[in-house]
């Protein structure tokens, strides 16, 4: 759903896009050749490789061929590394964590001094989100699939109950329940999960990692799924494209 929206929003913002839709059996070398070609094209300001890739392609190898100043997703080792270093400046920050940060700021949620719990440790959301919150002086706990894995739900709940900010990005539908959340906490749901619309139904619906109906009764602020973090992710993608386009003019 959000993949399709990227092109629509880009057109609305006046950002020209080129879609390269490749067959599933495309070789890693062929994909890298395409990335290299785009990377050398001065008319291209940002390159986005839609993840996940087929199992026979190593995403790290592909991302390695994107220059940091064209890495619109912020996934290259250079930009990820600079995000982890204090007082350094990555060219761009991954779109979903940046969107979450923007939501917190515009909702006047105190970050500095707050206890934030991030559920998930992916390179796309969890890890950059944790580092971004640290940059804004939050005390951060990261929970993941090996957090006391024999009793995952129980052990993670022990952390979230003490959090001022909870960011759920584990990819487990409706994992976070109302009794997981401290009254008044702020909850951002990054999860996108497809589940049956009703018992026996062949249709699917989209739900997040948070049980919205339960948690909204406890949290002071909460994002819905769909319609919460997703649109902000696309907005931050456009923000990153603009930043990289301006950077390209500075380096000419």
């Amino acid at each position: 759903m959000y993949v399709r929206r990227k092109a629509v929003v880009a057109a609305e913002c006046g950002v020209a896009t080129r879609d390269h839709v490749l067959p599933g059996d495309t070789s890693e070398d062929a994909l890298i050749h395409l990335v290299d070609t785009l990377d050398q094209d001065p008319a291209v300001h940002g390159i986005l490789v839609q993840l996940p890739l087929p199992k026979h392609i190593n995403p790290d190898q592909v991302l390695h061929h994107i220059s940091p100043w064209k890495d619109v997703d912020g996934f290259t080792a250079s930009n990820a590394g600079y995000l982890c270093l204090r007082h350094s400046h990555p060219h761009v920050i991954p779109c979903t964590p940046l969107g979450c940060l923007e939501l917190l700021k515009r909702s006047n949620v105190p970050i500095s001094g707050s206890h934030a719990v991030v559920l998930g440790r992916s390179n796309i959301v969890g890890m950059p989100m944790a580092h971004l919150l640290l940059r804004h002086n939050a005390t951060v706990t990261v929970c993941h699939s090996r957090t006391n894995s024999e009793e995952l739900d129980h052990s993670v709940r022990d952390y979230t109950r003490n959090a001022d900010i909870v960011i759920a990005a584990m990819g487990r539908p409706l994992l976070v329940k109302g009794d997981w959340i401290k009254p008044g906490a702020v909850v951002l749901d990054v999860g996108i999960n497809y589940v049956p619309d009703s018992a026996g139904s062949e249709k699917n619906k989209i739900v997040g990692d948070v049980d919205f109906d339960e948690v909204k009764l406890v949290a002071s602020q909460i994002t819905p799924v769909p319609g919460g973090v997703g649109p902000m992710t696309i907005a931050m993608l456009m923000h990153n494209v603009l930043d990289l386009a301006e950077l390209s003019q500075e380096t000419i």
Side-chain angles (χ1 to χ4, degrees):
M1 178 176 66
Y2 289 119
V3 174
R4 293 192 299 269
R5 284 292 300 164
K6 290 174 184 178
V8 173
V9 174
E12 293 173 349
C13 294
V15 175
T17 60
R18 303 179 194 170
D19 291 335
H20 296 269
V21 182
L22 307 179
D25 59 355
T26 299
S27 70
E28 183 175 298
D29 287 343
L31 178 55
I32 287 174
H33 176 72
L34 173 59
V35 169
D36 285 340
T37 300
L38 296 172
D39 199 66
Q40 296 165 16
D41 185 344
V44 174
H45 300 114
I47 299 172
L48 186 158
V49 177
Q50 188 63 52
L51 303 177
L53 293 172
K55 292 183 179 180
H56 67 279
I57 297 178
N58 183 340
D60 293 335
Q61 289 294 333
V62 176
L63 295 176
H64 178 70
H65 285 257
I66 302 176
S67 298
W69 47 89
K70 290 196 177 185
D71 171 28
V72 74
D73 268 330
F75 292 162
T76 61
S78 174
N79 283 322
Y82 279 124
L83 181 61
C84 298
L85 298 175
R86 295 184 65 192
H87 311 304
S88 62
H89 301 285
H91 291 95
V92 292
I93 294 170
C95 304
T96 299
L98 187 59
C100 289
L101 182 70
E102 192 70 15
L103 282 169
L104 293 172
K105 287 183 174 181
R106 293 191 178 224
S107 301
N108 297 315
V109 176
I111 301 174
S112 180
S114 295
H115 178 207
V117 172
V118 178
L119 305 182
R121 56 176 174 177
S122 73
N123 290 333
I124 296 173
V125 180
M127 294 303 288
M129 187 75 251
H131 288 295
L132 197 54
L133 289 165
L134 283 170
R135 276 177 167 256
H136 288 78
N137 301 314
T139 299
V140 182
T141 300
V142 178
C143 297
H144 47 80
S145 59
R146 296 303 179 95
T147 301
N148 193 4
S149 56
E150 291 184 0
E151 299 181 53
L152 177 64
D153 293 3
H154 183 271
S155 58
V156 172
R157 185 169 66 237
D158 289 342
Y159 291 105
T160 57
R161 279 176 170 171
N162 294 308
D164 304 302
I165 300 169
V166 175
I167 299 177
M170 268 190 159
R172 292 186 55 177
L174 307 179
L175 172 70
V176 180
K177 302 297 183 182
D179 63 354
W180 287 38
I181 301 301
K182 180 175 72 173
V186 175
V187 180
L188 275 63
D189 191 352
V190 181
I192 296 288
N193 308 285
Y194 292 88
V195 300
D197 195 13
S198 60
S201 173
E202 295 183 358
K203 295 182 179 180
N204 289 333
K205 64 179 180 180
I206 299 174
V207 300
D209 289 0
V210 176
D211 190 326
F212 183 85
D213 290 337
E214 283 194 16
V215 174
K216 71 179 182 180
L217 302 176
V218 184
S220 62
Q221 300 185 70
I222 181 173
T223 59
V225 175
V229 173
M232 283 301 300
T233 295
I234 298 175
M236 293 302 100
L237 177 63
M238 297 302 105
H239 173 276
N240 284 352
V241 171
L242 179 59
D243 277 356
L244 292 179
E246 291 177 343
L247 178 65
S248 72
Q249 297 303 308
E250 295 174 5
T251 57
I252 290 177

